[in-house]
Amino acid sequence: MKFLGIAGAMIAGIFFPQLGEYQFIIRYLLMAMLFCAFLRMENVSKFRDKSQLLILAANYIIPLFFYGIFMVSGRKELAAAAFMTGITPTATAAPVVVAFLHGKIEYVLNTFLLTNVVIALTLPFLLPLLGLSEGGRALEMVGKLMADMGLVMFLPLAAAWILR
């Protein structure tokens, strides 16, 4: 049944592209889904598995690898696009999908929190080093990223803690 819901949403997007005007609702739907996932989670912030650190490292190594390959070949725009696409943290919907599949929700949520927070804190300092942003402008990103993360990730987490 859950698969049909996901497939139905994708099919509706294909046949009703004008619904894209309501994309602002996605943030609030993700917050609701994360809230439900956080309610099912028992141990938040307990990083017991070294594989979570490997996932975090992969979030940096893979985009930097492709950035380097494209920079060496003289494709600066492609290097920037590859880096920005690859550095994007773990998908917000990942914990929800894992919950649908009855997987290890604590593992995914902890890894989700780890990667999102660390990347949001380090990315504004990494971008100027790679020549992808000005230093002052990158620092402005920290506040915006933290505000967005606070709303989408930490508000549902806090609400779930309070409710439990």
Side-chain angles (χ1 to χ4, degrees), residues 12-74:
I14 292 169
F15 289 110
F16 302 104
Q18 64 273 21
L19 293 176
E21 296 175 24
Y22 300 102
Q23 67 183 356
F24 65 92
I25 296 172
I26 292 173
R27 170 183 290 193
Y28 303 104
L29 293 174
L30 286 173
M31 290 171 61
M33 290 189 300
L34 282 173
F35 173 73
C36 293
F38 283 133
L39 280 176
R40 295 179 57 188
M41 187 174 167
E42 292 182 20
N43 298 317
V44 178
S45 309
K46 292 192 178 178
F47 302 104
R48 297 183 210 136
D49 198 330
K50 290 180 184 177
S51 66
Q52 292 171 315
L53 295 176
L54 292 174
I55 291 169
L56 178 62
N59 271 287
Y60 286 100
I61 293 169
I62 293 169
L64 287 170
F65 173 76
F66 285 102
Y67 175 82
I69 286 176
F70 290 124
M71 284 300 283
V72 167
S73 67

